[in-house]
Amino acid sequence: MFVSYLILTLLHVQTAVLARPGGESIGCDDYLGSDKVVDKCGVCGGDNTGCQVVSGVFKHALTSLGYHRVVEIPQGATKINITEMYKSNNYLALRSRSGRSIINGNWAIDRPGKYEGGGTMFTYKRPNEISSTAGESFLAEGPTNEILDVYMIHQQPNPGVHYEYVIMGNNAISPQVPPHRRPGEPFNGQLGPEGRSQEEGEEKEGDEPKADTHGGAPEIFTSESAQTFPVRHPDRFSSHRPDNVVPPAPQPPRRSRDHNWKQLGTTECSTTCGKGSQYPIFRCVHRSTHEEVPESYCDSSMKPTPEEEPCNIFPCPAFWDIGEWSECSKTCGLGMQHRQVLCRQVYANRSLTVQPYRCQHLEKPETTSTCQLKICSEWQIRTDWTSCSVPCGVGQRTRDVKCVSNIGDVVDDEECNMKLRPNGIENCDMGPCAKSWFLTEWSERCSAECGAGVRTRSVVCMTNHVSSLPLEGCGNNRPAEATPCDNGPCTGKVEWFAGSWSQCSVECGSGTQQREVICVRKNADTFEVLDPYECSFLERPPSQQSCHLKPCGAKWFNTEWSMCSKSCQGGFRVREVRCLSDDMTLSNLCDPQLKPEEKESCNPQDCVPEVDENCKDRYYNCNVVVQARLCVYNYYKTACCVSCTRVASRHSSFLGSR
């Protein structure tokens, strides 16, 4: 009954704006000259106090997956708005109290669109999944003719659901809208059909709406709050009547019984399929000749009211309804995206989901597709492995590994797949540690002043922790401790003659001794002192030397230099230096300032690159590839080999200089 009342109310609101022949308008009570209008609660002549606005937010934290009731929409509710606060992976669902699913029931997700339920039409909206942050919503003008329940299909934390609807209050003014008129009846609003009083057309007051217990007590606004809901005219009440329904401007009447109204065809059907509507067209004609004459010849009050007639009731062809693509499954690289494709068919201005076989005459669109938002960053090895941290045994070696973007820039490691990161450090086994020969420098002085003599050095076998050669042991290849030397024949020879050393300047440890050095010629039995100039071609013996009267401590010993770490462009080599006491045991009494160097640079010359005959630039614009930093990709590294190799050499030189 309430639905009939609302239809009549809206129709009379439309009719009220039509000017009558006398220049006066008709109010919503259907009286000529009345100024009554329908208020925001849909009451003719009301003061906006006959309804209440119920609203609230469902904020409960849900733990289990599945359907959870959000709010109950009572019978008679209008201007219904159920909206998620923001986008989520949850879905809204709607069902009647009788158990009939209206939207998203039985774990089946419907496409956005219009769905009839509870005596009204609900608009189900699901904003664009990629670009929008708005949530789902149900909208309906109402009124509902039964109790409906709103549910949430819970899959992730509840973002909050706002609900709002309007209901008639206890103090609602009963609508005073007359019943439908039969064609030809007076249009004055004072007459009703036989056997029915006006009271029979009044709406019975509904029950008080229930407050939702899930989201806290709902807010109820009345009076001025209700004014925010203006009267709307749903599309399903829009008329397709032809223009001749509206009475023409007043003209001098020339009516007679010789003319009457006659149907001459119908309007065009509103749709080409799926049940449309059309209306009969009535014209004023001569009774005898049936010739059409001006409408002023007929009594306008007797003109039949065009009634809607169905047309083109056959269903429209089924079609594939294509949803929007979901977000890409990956933020970079190749991912997947999905969309919903349903077979639908339009009938009676409703789009219904039907069985897929009805769309078998059409090729079904793809429901999955590959996608790529951007090229992923990748790991790049910037340097070769370093030398092992130990010369023997198990140590570690390292290399530089960086995360590089698709344009060649170094970015944070988080932008690359950490599971695919190459190792930047690893163990290295240099073989079992062995013994090596440790030896001092050769003595500077030959044992004989003239003739054959020897120079000596100290040799000791010890455990080696520096040498890059894993020896099995010192073995039998003991380095020589003496080497021959010859200062020339002694007869007639010009030479430097050195006197005896003075006493050592210190009692122990390292001191100095002085002696006299002269140039002489040795004869058979005598020595002839010569000018020092005569011996200038000979190396003059030192007139001062260090001396050790007795041991006071230890001295430094070192191994031979290792192989250079690089063959060119600057490397280094190492040796081990130890402080040994007189009994060849480790000591810490050596002077640190006298310690020989353990590391020195070597092979500083530039590297000469090897010429690869297969390395060439295959394109004339390889300089663009270098500028765009595309040499990090294998394809461009091969296609522009010369250019990419050149820039890599420059980069290596730059890193080496640092």
Side-chain angles (χ1 to χ4, degrees):
M1 184 179 293
F2 187 80
V3 176
S4 301
Y5 146 69
L6 184 58
I7 294 174
L8 291 173
T9 300
L10 295 175
L11 289 176
H12 288 313
V13 170
Q14 292 176 325
T15 309
V17 300
L18 300 179
R20 306 306 296 164
E24 299 184 45
S25 61
I26 299 176
C28 64
D29 55 359
D30 217 15
Y31 280 94
L32 189 63
S34 171
D35 59 355
K36 288 186 178 182
V37 295
V38 177
D39 71 354
K40 300 183 185 299
C41 298
V43 179
C44 181
D47 58 358
N48 297 323
T49 61
C51 62
Q52 294 176 327
V53 179
V54 179
S55 67
V57 178
F58 176 73
K59 298 180 179 178
H60 270 208
L62 306 175
T63 57
S64 60
L65 300 177
Y67 287 81
H68 294 266
R69 196 170 79 95
V70 175
V71 68
E72 173 189 285
I73 302 176
Q75 181 177 353
T78 60
K79 297 176 175 60
I80 302 165
N81 186 340
I82 312 294
T83 303
E84 273 190 308
M85 303 296 285
Y86 55 86
K87 183 176 70 173
S88 72
N89 288 333
N90 302 325
Y91 294 92
L92 298 176
L94 185 66
R95 62 175 290 178
S96 67
R97 185 54 59 89
S98 62
R100 183 177 71 88
S101 173
I102 300 174
I103 301 176
N104 292 346
N106 300 322
W107 291 100
I109 305 304
D110 295 316
R111 290 281 301 119
K114 295 184 180 296
Y115 296 86
E116 186 175 5
T120 185
M121 186 69 71
F122 282 86
T123 300
Y124 174 33
K125 294 183 178 181
R126 184 186 304 140
N128 185 292
E129 296 180 9
I130 296 178
S131 61
S132 174
T133 59
E136 295 192 343
S137 64
F138 294 157
L139 303 176
E141 285 292 328
T144 56
N145 60 7
E146 61 177 324
I147 299 175
L148 303 176
D149 288 316
V150 177
Y151 288 83
M152 171 187 285
I153 304 178
H154 174 245
Q155 300 187 91
Q156 72 174 63
N158 174 24
V161 178
H162 176 266
Y163 57 86
E164 185 173 273
Y165 56 84
V166 177
I167 58 174
M168 299 297 291
N170 291 332
N171 59 340
I173 302 175
S174 299
Q176 302 293 327
V177 180
H180 282 295
R181 298 181 302 277
R182 297 186 179 89
E185 288 184 327
F187 190 21
N188 53 21
Q190 303 180 39
L191 298 180
E194 294 182 5
R196 176 174 177 175
S197 64
Q198 254 184 345
E199 287 74 10
E200 292 179 284
E202 296 177 356
E203 170 68 11
K204 181 179 179 181
E205 294 182 1
D207 297 332
E208 283 292 315
K210 295 182 181 180
D212 177 44
T213 59
H214 291 275
E219 303 175 20
I220 299 180
F221 304 91
T222 59
S223 186
E224 296 181 2
S225 297
Q227 297 178 11
T228 60
F229 292 87
V231 174
R232 299 181 182 178
H233 306 293
D235 293 339
R236 63 179 183 276
F237 299 144
S238 299
S239 174
H240 293 282
R241 294 184 175 87
D243 295 339
N244 61 337
V245 173
V246 181
Q251 296 182 7
R254 294 185 295 169
R255 306 181 184 91
S256 68
R257 296 182 179 179
D258 295 334
H259 302 87
N260 67 342
W261 296 101
K262 181 180 180 180
Q263 179 180 348
L264 297 178
T266 59
T267 61
E268 185 178 355
C269 191
S270 60
T271 61
T272 58
C273 61
K275 190 181 180 181
S277 60
Q278 61 185 17
Y279 295 87
I281 300 175
F282 295 99
R283 303 293 188 189
C284 182
V285 299
H286 194 278
R287 286 182 181 271
S288 301
T289 63
H290 300 288
E291 181 181 356
E292 185 176 349
V293 296
E295 292 190 354
S296 59
Y297 282 74
C298 295
D299 187 353
S300 61
S301 63
M302 298 299 293
K303 184 176 182 179
T305 302
E307 295 185 356
E308 182 180 347
E309 299 175 357
C311 57
N312 294 341
I313 61 175
F314 52 90
C316 293
F319 62 95
W320 291 113
D321 189 10
I322 304 173
E324 297 175 352
W325 288 110
S326 66
E327 296 178 355
C328 195
S329 61
K330 294 186 178 180
T331 57
C332 71
L334 196 63
M336 295 294 295
Q337 58 183 174
H338 307 270
R339 65 181 176 183
Q340 193 175 42
V341 177
L342 299 175
C343 183
R344 300 180 72 87
Q345 200 166 14
V346 175
Y347 186 76
N349 292 326
R350 290 180 56 197
S351 180
L352 305 175
T353 301
V354 296
Q355 293 296 326
Y357 74 86
R358 296 195 179 183
C359 294
Q360 62 185 0
H361 62 288
L362 300 173
E363 182 179 358
K364 184 175 181 179
E366 295 293 336
T367 57
T368 60
S369 175
T370 57
C371 54
Q372 183 170 342
L373 300 181
K374 65 177 182 179
I375 300 175
C376 289
S377 300
E378 64 177 3
W379 294 108
Q380 189 176 94
I381 300 174
R382 291 297 184 94
T383 62
D384 295 331
W385 288 110
T386 61
S387 300
C388 195
S389 60
V390 296
C392 61
V394 178
Q396 287 186 327
R397 62 178 186 171
T398 60
R399 62 182 177 182
D400 191 18
V401 178
K402 298 293 185 182
C403 180
V404 181
S405 70
N406 61 323
I407 60 174
D409 293 332
V410 176
V411 295
D412 294 336
D413 286 358
E414 290 75 12
E415 294 197 22
C416 289
N417 189 343
M418 296 301 295
K419 296 181 180 179
L420 301 179
R421 188 182 194 276
N423 290 332
I425 184 171
E426 69 176 10
N427 292 337
C428 50
D429 190 349
M430 301 301 293
C433 290
K435 295 181 179 180
S436 294
W437 293 110
F438 284 73
L439 40 115
T440 62
E441 299 292 338
W442 290 107
S443 61
E444 296 180 359
R445 185 175 180 182
C446 190
S447 61
E449 295 181 355
C450 62
V454 293
R455 290 194 301 169
T456 61
R457 65 181 176 183
S458 298
V459 178
V460 62
C461 180
M462 298 189 68
T463 302
N464 178 10
H465 292 288
V466 173
S467 174
S468 60
L469 297 176
L471 303 176
E472 294 298 328
C474 292
N476 298 323
N477 297 326
R478 178 186 178 93
E481 296 181 271
T483 184
C485 58
D486 189 350
N487 291 331
C490 296
T491 302
K493 179 180 179 181
V494 176
E495 61 180 342
W496 291 105
F497 177 80
S500 300
W501 290 104
S502 65
Q503 291 185 353
C504 192
S505 61
V506 294
E507 295 182 356
C508 71
S510 297
T512 59
Q513 291 176 299
Q514 306 294 329
R515 68 178 177 180
E516 187 176 0
V517 178
I518 59 175
C519 180
V520 298
R521 178 184 290 118
K522 185 178 180 181
N523 297 321
D525 298 321
T526 61
F527 287 93
E528 180 183 358
V529 178
L530 303 176
D531 189 278
Y533 170 77
E534 299 293 335
C535 295
S536 60
F537 65 94
L538 298 174
E539 183 180 358
R540 179 176 179 136
S543 58
Q544 178 179 309
Q545 72 171 11
S546 60
C547 56
H548 299 272
L549 294 182
K550 60 181 179 180
C552 291
K555 61 181 178 180
W556 294 107
F557 284 77
N558 59 267
T559 65
E560 295 180 345
W561 289 108
S562 67
M563 296 291 292
C564 191
S565 62
K566 284 180 145 187
S567 60
C568 59
Q569 226 170 22
F572 63 90
R573 61 180 183 175
V574 295
R575 65 181 177 181
E576 187 172 1
V577 178
R578 291 186 182 180
C579 178
L580 302 178
S581 62
D582 295 321
D583 59 355
M584 295 302 160
T585 59
L586 291 175
S587 174
N588 56 359
L589 300 178
C590 295
D591 187 353
Q593 295 183 354
L594 300 177
K595 182 178 181 179
E597 293 293 333
E598 296 182 278
K599 181 178 180 180
E600 70 176 7
S601 59
C602 54
N603 295 337
Q605 71 277 8
D606 291 336
C607 295
V608 178
E610 296 181 1
V611 178
D612 185 358
E613 296 181 355
N614 295 325
C615 181
K616 59 181 67 176
D617 286 349
R618 301 180 182 177
Y619 300 102
Y620 70 91
N621 57 347
C622 282
N623 60 321
V624 178
V625 173
V626 174
Q627 294 173 3
R629 299 182 180 180
L630 298 177
C631 288
V632 297
Y633 299 105
N634 291 331
Y635 171 78
Y636 292 107
K637 190 180 298 182
T638 302
C640 297
C641 181
V642 174
S643 299
C644 290
T645 302
R646 186 183 303 116
V647 73
S649 294
R650 293 175 184 171
H651 184 71
S652 299
S653 300
F654 174 74
L655 292 178
S657 64
R658 296 178 62 183

